[in-house]
Structures are given as structure tokens and as C-alpha cells.
Amino acid sequence: MSGVKGQRVALFGGTFDPIHNGHIVLARELAARLQLDRVILMPTFVPPHKIKAQMAPAIDRVEMCRLACAPYPELTVSELEVNRRGASFTVLTLEELHCQLPQAELFLFVGADMFLTLGTWHRFADIAKLATICAVPRDDVPTAALRSYAEELAAVGARCVIEEIATPRISSTDIRERACAGQSLDGLVPAAVAAYIEARQVYAAERTYQSADEQYVEILRGRLTPKRFRHSLAVADQAVHLAELYGADKEKAYTAGLLHDILKDTDGDSQLQIFKDFDILLDAVEQQAPKLWHAHAGAVFLEHILGVHDTDILQAVRYHTTGRAGMTLPEIVLYLADFTSADRDYPDVEVMRELSERDMDAAMLYALEYTVKDLEEQGRPVHPDTLACLNEYRERVGGANG
Ligand code: DGI
Ligand code: FE
Ligand code: FE
């Protein structure tokens, strides 16, 4: 392998729903032929309107890729596109890879059918500058078709390589159908992927749940980016820990933690639609601050769409971003859990964690001061509920000290 300097790195994007042996053979064979140091498998974001029944959540597609690539050091998996909310243009991903690996020589694998449309891709000229494009013929798109299109692209400065590689003919659609019908996936996907599909019931037509929380986890898996999904699980765990410490209800804390960001990865228009549907008028600051919507819209969604009726949970979600005057214990538990969960890594997180272990009021004051300072520095409006909450804690903590 060459050193970091001259690394040859390929981007291999796809829905990978699921990844199968054909993908693996292709990635490894291309790596060998093109003498690549690394192939980055990049599961793509699937926009909500394109998600079909039976499609696996992004985090499962990522996990299956990880399992499939684990035996092969030259194959790695990136969450870049699925953690970026919304559709990604290939050129943006290549630019990001170029920033991360400025010395690397980049390659881009594209499917044979997609290759024939390359000239129309967003900022194609930049793609061509950033990467050498590789395509592999298939039955329906023969070598000759690829080569003649490659010549056209070469005329506008693109570097293309066409490699004839025989890959097993496997279809992800077929795999999903077989999995759903409980048939064997032997020979189609690596054994570790088959075991994952079976254990997690990734493509099952219907699932039964042991508890409401278990069902919520599955709903979140489908709605959130992998990063946000892991955050939600971490907040739920931290909420249980703080509930124990402060003497709050642990089960409610867990559920509120799981669900608090349920709409965080939902686009703004859909959140506004929820406010409309339930006749909710936004106040002046909310109108200017889309980042506040997920808490308010989330609580409405939980109540009216998921059928969560526990007021403690609904209020905790509703106020988890702004706080408010007179916060209840379950609200405080979630508010602080969101600041101190295991996945958080802002500069002061250790101070926050230590305070929340020791002194609930001081922790609230610290978190609120931190938030308001941050918002002011960014020139963003502070919500009146946040200010009212901050003032309350200033008096309470100041009063206790003085
Ligand atoms: O959803 P999380 O990222 O886990 O955390 P969060 O719900 O506390 O959201 C944090 C975002 O909300 C962050 O970008 C700051 C913003 N925010 C919090 N309080 C206020 C606020 N934005 C405005 N404009 N006003 C506030 O009072
Ligand atoms: Fe949030
Ligand atoms: Fe959160």
C-alpha cells in the first residue's frame, strides 16, 4: 500500500438495501484492478417520499455494509451522506472527501446505467475534475456503449475507465422479498449480513413488539439519521440515570429521551404542516427560529399521531429546547439529559456532566447561561421561555448562595 500521500481512494455510492455479494465482489475486484488503497462504500440518503415499504432504515443499511466490509481492510463505510439531512449531490461528497484527503487520488464508481447520464449530473465538470470515473458493463449496458460514451466525456476533459468484471447476478429487491418470505439468503449476502437481517427482522412484513418503547425505537430508526438515532438512545439512557439521581420516574424519562427529537430530521415544511393541521400558531420567536420547531411539533406529533398521552412526556418534549418558567422534574431531567448524553462533545460537556451529577439547579443555570450566550453570539433571537427559565434559575441559585 502506498502512504497517505498517494492514496488511491474510490467512492462507491448506493442504497445498499441490502448490500450483497455482487457489491462486495465488484468493490474488491475494482480495488485490485485499479490498485486502490481504499474503497469507501457510501450508503445514500433516501428522501422520505421515495421510501417504500420494506426499505431498511439508513442505520441498518450502514450496519449491514459495515458487517459485509469487516473482513476486507480495503473496504470502508461512510455515513457522510445519510447523516447529511436531505439528498446529496455526488459533487458535494467528492468535495468533502477531497477536503478530508487532499493528497488522495479519487475515483468514482458509477453503475452502468447511471454512467450514460453522467453528462447531465449536477456540476459534472467539477465531478470530472475531482475524480476518475469507473463503470462496469452489464448485460443491458454493454462495453461498447460505455466506451463510446466515455469517449464523448473524454472530449470534455473527463477521465473514465471501463472495466469488464463478472459479478454474480444478485438483486437487492430479490433479497428483500426472500427475507420477507423467510427464505434463505445463503450465497446472496455475507453470513453476518444474513444474521443481522434475521435478528433485526429488517425486511419482515410485520413485526410484533414487546413494548411501546421497542416500537418507538423502530419508528425512530426509520425517521432519524444514524447520528441522531444514536443521540436519542444516548439521551434516553442518560435521562434514566438522571431520573434515578433526582427521584423522577425512570420509565417516563426513558421514553421522553427516546422520543424528544423525533421530528429533528423532518423537513421544515412538514413541521409547519403539523402546526397547521392542529391549528397551532407560532409565536414571534418561533416563526424566526426553525430549530425550535422540532420540540413543539414533536410533542404535537407524539400526542396526535403516535398516540402518546402521558402529559409528563409530552411536556418534557415540548420544552426540551427552550425550557420554561416553572419546569417540572420530568422536564428538567430531559433538558439536562439532552445536554449531557454520552454522544455530546461540546467544549464544556464535562463541566455540565459534573454539575448535573451534583446539583440539578446549578446545572440548569449553567446550561441556560451557555445556551443564551451561544445564541447571542450568533445573533439569534432568544425565546421568552428560555429567558424566563434563566431568570428563575438565576434567582433561585443566586438566592441559595446569598
Ligand atoms: O435537538 P438537539 O440538537 O439535541 O438540542 P436542542 O433541542 O436543545 O436544540 C438545540 C438548538 O436549538 C440549537 O441550535 C439552539 C437552538 N435553541 C435553543 N434555545 C433557543 C434556540 N434557538 C433560538 N432561536 N432561541 C432559543 O431560545
Ligand atoms: Fe432537540
Ligand atoms: Fe436532542
mmCIF file with all atom_site columns, all heavy atoms in Angstrom, residues 164-176:
data_model
loop_
_atom_site.group_PDB
_atom_site.id
_atom_site.type_symbol
_atom_site.label_atom_id
_atom_site.label_alt_id
_atom_site.label_comp_id
_atom_site.label_asym_id
_atom_site.label_entity_id
_atom_site.label_seq_id
_atom_site.pdbx_PDB_ins_code
_atom_site.Cartn_x
_atom_site.Cartn_y
_atom_site.Cartn_z
_atom_site.occupancy
_atom_site.B_iso_or_equiv
_atom_site.pdbx_formal_charge
_atom_site.auth_seq_id
_atom_site.auth_comp_id
_atom_site.auth_asym_id
_atom_site.auth_atom_id
_atom_site.pdbx_PDB_model_num
ATOM 1   N N   . GLU A 1 164 ? -14.148 -4.523  -17.418 1.00 0.00 ? 164 GLU A N   1
ATOM 2   C CA  . GLU A 1 164 ? -15.063 -5.663  -17.562 1.00 0.00 ? 164 GLU A CA  1
ATOM 3   C C   . GLU A 1 164 ? -14.858 -6.600  -16.380 1.00 0.00 ? 164 GLU A C   1
ATOM 4   O O   . GLU A 1 164 ? -13.809 -7.208  -16.244 1.00 0.00 ? 164 GLU A O   1
ATOM 5   C CB  . GLU A 1 164 ? -14.807 -6.371  -18.887 1.00 0.00 ? 164 GLU A CB  1
ATOM 6   C CG  . GLU A 1 164 ? -15.197 -5.476  -20.057 1.00 0.00 ? 164 GLU A CG  1
ATOM 7   C CD  . GLU A 1 164 ? -14.978 -6.134  -21.413 1.00 0.00 ? 164 GLU A CD  1
ATOM 8   O OE1 . GLU A 1 164 ? -13.888 -6.701  -21.607 1.00 0.00 ? 164 GLU A OE1 1
ATOM 9   O OE2 . GLU A 1 164 ? -15.893 -6.066  -22.239 1.00 0.00 ? 164 GLU A OE2 1
ATOM 10  N N   . ILE A 1 165 ? -15.854 -6.665  -15.543 1.00 0.00 ? 165 ILE A N   1
ATOM 11  C CA  . ILE A 1 165 ? -15.761 -7.509  -14.349 1.00 0.00 ? 165 ILE A CA  1
ATOM 12  C C   . ILE A 1 165 ? -17.028 -8.348  -14.276 1.00 0.00 ? 165 ILE A C   1
ATOM 13  O O   . ILE A 1 165 ? -18.139 -7.808  -14.366 1.00 0.00 ? 165 ILE A O   1
ATOM 14  C CB  . ILE A 1 165 ? -15.644 -6.645  -13.071 1.00 0.00 ? 165 ILE A CB  1
ATOM 15  C CG1 . ILE A 1 165 ? -14.313 -5.877  -13.081 1.00 0.00 ? 165 ILE A CG1 1
ATOM 16  C CG2 . ILE A 1 165 ? -15.747 -7.502  -11.814 1.00 0.00 ? 165 ILE A CG2 1
ATOM 17  C CD1 . ILE A 1 165 ? -14.168 -4.886  -11.949 1.00 0.00 ? 165 ILE A CD1 1
ATOM 18  N N   . ALA A 1 166 ? -16.840 -9.639  -14.122 1.00 0.00 ? 166 ALA A N   1
ATOM 19  C CA  . ALA A 1 166 ? -18.012 -10.508 -13.988 1.00 0.00 ? 166 ALA A CA  1
ATOM 20  C C   . ALA A 1 166 ? -18.414 -10.523 -12.518 1.00 0.00 ? 166 ALA A C   1
ATOM 21  O O   . ALA A 1 166 ? -17.608 -10.840 -11.644 1.00 0.00 ? 166 ALA A O   1
ATOM 22  C CB  . ALA A 1 166 ? -17.660 -11.911 -14.457 1.00 0.00 ? 166 ALA A CB  1
ATOM 23  N N   . THR A 1 167 ? -19.650 -10.137 -12.243 1.00 0.00 ? 167 THR A N   1
ATOM 24  C CA  . THR A 1 167 ? -20.116 -10.172 -10.853 1.00 0.00 ? 167 THR A CA  1
ATOM 25  C C   . THR A 1 167 ? -21.325 -11.096 -10.795 1.00 0.00 ? 167 THR A C   1
ATOM 26  O O   . THR A 1 167 ? -22.061 -11.210 -11.766 1.00 0.00 ? 167 THR A O   1
ATOM 27  C CB  . THR A 1 167 ? -20.543 -8.767  -10.368 1.00 0.00 ? 167 THR A CB  1
ATOM 28  O OG1 . THR A 1 167 ? -21.488 -8.246  -11.302 1.00 0.00 ? 167 THR A OG1 1
ATOM 29  C CG2 . THR A 1 167 ? -19.369 -7.823  -10.271 1.00 0.00 ? 167 THR A CG2 1
ATOM 30  N N   . PRO A 1 168 ? -21.527 -11.751 -9.662  1.00 0.00 ? 168 PRO A N   1
ATOM 31  C CA  . PRO A 1 168 ? -22.717 -12.595 -9.552  1.00 0.00 ? 168 PRO A CA  1
ATOM 32  C C   . PRO A 1 168 ? -23.972 -11.745 -9.736  1.00 0.00 ? 168 PRO A C   1
ATOM 33  O O   . PRO A 1 168 ? -24.011 -10.592 -9.294  1.00 0.00 ? 168 PRO A O   1
ATOM 34  C CB  . PRO A 1 168 ? -22.624 -13.141 -8.119  1.00 0.00 ? 168 PRO A CB  1
ATOM 35  C CG  . PRO A 1 168 ? -21.600 -12.318 -7.418  1.00 0.00 ? 168 PRO A CG  1
ATOM 36  C CD  . PRO A 1 168 ? -20.723 -11.708 -8.448  1.00 0.00 ? 168 PRO A CD  1
ATOM 37  N N   . ARG A 1 169 ? -24.936 -12.286 -10.433 1.00 0.00 ? 169 ARG A N   1
ATOM 38  C CA  . ARG A 1 169 ? -26.162 -11.518 -10.682 1.00 0.00 ? 169 ARG A CA  1
ATOM 39  C C   . ARG A 1 169 ? -27.090 -11.629 -9.476  1.00 0.00 ? 169 ARG A C   1
ATOM 40  O O   . ARG A 1 169 ? -27.787 -12.617 -9.306  1.00 0.00 ? 169 ARG A O   1
ATOM 41  C CB  . ARG A 1 169 ? -26.863 -12.046 -11.935 1.00 0.00 ? 169 ARG A CB  1
ATOM 42  C CG  . ARG A 1 169 ? -26.894 -10.979 -13.024 1.00 0.00 ? 169 ARG A CG  1
ATOM 43  C CD  . ARG A 1 169 ? -27.442 -11.521 -14.314 1.00 0.00 ? 169 ARG A CD  1
ATOM 44  N NE  . ARG A 1 169 ? -26.395 -12.082 -15.143 1.00 0.00 ? 169 ARG A NE  1
ATOM 45  C CZ  . ARG A 1 169 ? -26.613 -12.966 -16.104 1.00 0.00 ? 169 ARG A CZ  1
ATOM 46  N NH1 . ARG A 1 169 ? -27.833 -13.430 -16.324 1.00 0.00 ? 169 ARG A NH1 1
ATOM 47  N NH2 . ARG A 1 169 ? -25.612 -13.395 -16.837 1.00 0.00 ? 169 ARG A NH2 1
ATOM 48  N N   . ILE A 1 170 ? -27.055 -10.618 -8.646  1.00 0.00 ? 170 ILE A N   1
ATOM 49  C CA  . ILE A 1 170 ? -27.856 -10.650 -7.421  1.00 0.00 ? 170 ILE A CA  1
ATOM 50  C C   . ILE A 1 170 ? -28.646 -9.361  -7.370  1.00 0.00 ? 170 ILE A C   1
ATOM 51  O O   . ILE A 1 170 ? -28.121 -8.296  -7.711  1.00 0.00 ? 170 ILE A O   1
ATOM 52  C CB  . ILE A 1 170 ? -26.931 -10.743 -6.178  1.00 0.00 ? 170 ILE A CB  1
ATOM 53  C CG1 . ILE A 1 170 ? -26.089 -12.026 -6.236  1.00 0.00 ? 170 ILE A CG1 1
ATOM 54  C CG2 . ILE A 1 170 ? -27.740 -10.699 -4.885  1.00 0.00 ? 170 ILE A CG2 1
ATOM 55  C CD1 . ILE A 1 170 ? -25.058 -12.130 -5.135  1.00 0.00 ? 170 ILE A CD1 1
ATOM 56  N N   . SER A 1 171 ? -29.906 -9.453  -6.961  1.00 0.00 ? 171 SER A N   1
ATOM 57  C CA  . SER A 1 171 ? -30.682 -8.217  -6.871  1.00 0.00 ? 171 SER A CA  1
ATOM 58  C C   . SER A 1 171 ? -31.140 -7.989  -5.439  1.00 0.00 ? 171 SER A C   1
ATOM 59  O O   . SER A 1 171 ? -31.580 -8.916  -4.745  1.00 0.00 ? 171 SER A O   1
ATOM 60  C CB  . SER A 1 171 ? -31.866 -8.262  -7.848  1.00 0.00 ? 171 SER A CB  1
ATOM 61  O OG  . SER A 1 171 ? -33.087 -8.292  -7.158  1.00 0.00 ? 171 SER A OG  1
ATOM 62  N N   . SER A 1 172 ? -31.016 -6.740  -5.014  1.00 0.00 ? 172 SER A N   1
ATOM 63  C CA  . SER A 1 172 ? -31.424 -6.400  -3.649  1.00 0.00 ? 172 SER A CA  1
ATOM 64  C C   . SER A 1 172 ? -32.932 -6.583  -3.477  1.00 0.00 ? 172 SER A C   1
ATOM 65  O O   . SER A 1 172 ? -33.394 -6.989  -2.408  1.00 0.00 ? 172 SER A O   1
ATOM 66  C CB  . SER A 1 172 ? -31.013 -4.963  -3.313  1.00 0.00 ? 172 SER A CB  1
ATOM 67  O OG  . SER A 1 172 ? -29.610 -4.874  -3.185  1.00 0.00 ? 172 SER A OG  1
ATOM 68  N N   . THR A 1 173 ? -33.680 -6.298  -4.526  1.00 0.00 ? 173 THR A N   1
ATOM 69  C CA  . THR A 1 173 ? -35.141 -6.475  -4.460  1.00 0.00 ? 173 THR A CA  1
ATOM 70  C C   . THR A 1 173 ? -35.464 -7.936  -4.158  1.00 0.00 ? 173 THR A C   1
ATOM 71  O O   . THR A 1 173 ? -36.296 -8.243  -3.290  1.00 0.00 ? 173 THR A O   1
ATOM 72  C CB  . THR A 1 173 ? -35.778 -6.082  -5.810  1.00 0.00 ? 173 THR A CB  1
ATOM 73  O OG1 . THR A 1 173 ? -35.304 -4.795  -6.161  1.00 0.00 ? 173 THR A OG1 1
ATOM 74  C CG2 . THR A 1 173 ? -37.295 -6.084  -5.727  1.00 0.00 ? 173 THR A CG2 1
ATOM 75  N N   . ASP A 1 174 ? -34.776 -8.815  -4.866  1.00 0.00 ? 174 ASP A N   1
ATOM 76  C CA  . ASP A 1 174 ? -34.980 -10.249 -4.657  1.00 0.00 ? 174 ASP A CA  1
ATOM 77  C C   . ASP A 1 174 ? -34.633 -10.633 -3.216  1.00 0.00 ? 174 ASP A C   1
ATOM 78  O O   . ASP A 1 174 ? -35.353 -11.403 -2.567  1.00 0.00 ? 174 ASP A O   1
ATOM 79  C CB  . ASP A 1 174 ? -34.108 -10.994 -5.680  1.00 0.00 ? 174 ASP A CB  1
ATOM 80  C CG  . ASP A 1 174 ? -34.177 -12.490 -5.497  1.00 0.00 ? 174 ASP A CG  1
ATOM 81  O OD1 . ASP A 1 174 ? -35.314 -13.001 -5.380  1.00 0.00 ? 174 ASP A OD1 1
ATOM 82  O OD2 . ASP A 1 174 ? -33.104 -13.141 -5.457  1.00 0.00 ? 174 ASP A OD2 1
ATOM 83  N N   . ILE A 1 175 ? -33.547 -10.075 -2.712  1.00 0.00 ? 175 ILE A N   1
ATOM 84  C CA  . ILE A 1 175 ? -33.134 -10.394 -1.336  1.00 0.00 ? 175 ILE A CA  1
ATOM 85  C C   . ILE A 1 175 ? -34.201 -9.948  -0.338  1.00 0.00 ? 175 ILE A C   1
ATOM 86  O O   . ILE A 1 175 ? -34.565 -10.682 0.576   1.00 0.00 ? 175 ILE A O   1
ATOM 87  C CB  . ILE A 1 175 ? -31.779 -9.728  -1.003  1.00 0.00 ? 175 ILE A CB  1
ATOM 88  C CG1 . ILE A 1 175 ? -30.681 -10.362 -1.853  1.00 0.00 ? 175 ILE A CG1 1
ATOM 89  C CG2 . ILE A 1 175 ? -31.465 -9.834  0.487   1.00 0.00 ? 175 ILE A CG2 1
ATOM 90  C CD1 . ILE A 1 175 ? -29.353 -9.651  -1.776  1.00 0.00 ? 175 ILE A CD1 1
ATOM 91  N N   . ARG A 1 176 ? -34.736 -8.755  -0.551  1.00 0.00 ? 176 ARG A N   1
ATOM 92  C CA  . ARG A 1 176 ? -35.772 -8.261  0.375   1.00 0.00 ? 176 ARG A CA  1
ATOM 93  C C   . ARG A 1 176 ? -36.988 -9.173  0.352   1.00 0.00 ? 176 ARG A C   1
ATOM 94  O O   . ARG A 1 176 ? -37.555 -9.486  1.395   1.00 0.00 ? 176 ARG A O   1
ATOM 95  C CB  . ARG A 1 176 ? -36.187 -6.832  -0.005  1.00 0.00 ? 176 ARG A CB  1
ATOM 96  C CG  . ARG A 1 176 ? -35.095 -5.800  0.219   1.00 0.00 ? 176 ARG A CG  1
ATOM 97  C CD  . ARG A 1 176 ? -35.657 -4.379  0.214   1.00 0.00 ? 176 ARG A CD  1
ATOM 98  N NE  . ARG A 1 176 ? -36.253 -4.001  -1.063  1.00 0.00 ? 176 ARG A NE  1
ATOM 99  C CZ  . ARG A 1 176 ? -35.574 -3.452  -2.083  1.00 0.00 ? 176 ARG A CZ  1
ATOM 100 N NH1 . ARG A 1 176 ? -34.282 -3.224  -1.952  1.00 0.00 ? 176 ARG A NH1 1
ATOM 101 N NH2 . ARG A 1 176 ? -36.195 -3.127  -3.192  1.00 0.00 ? 176 ARG A NH2 1
#
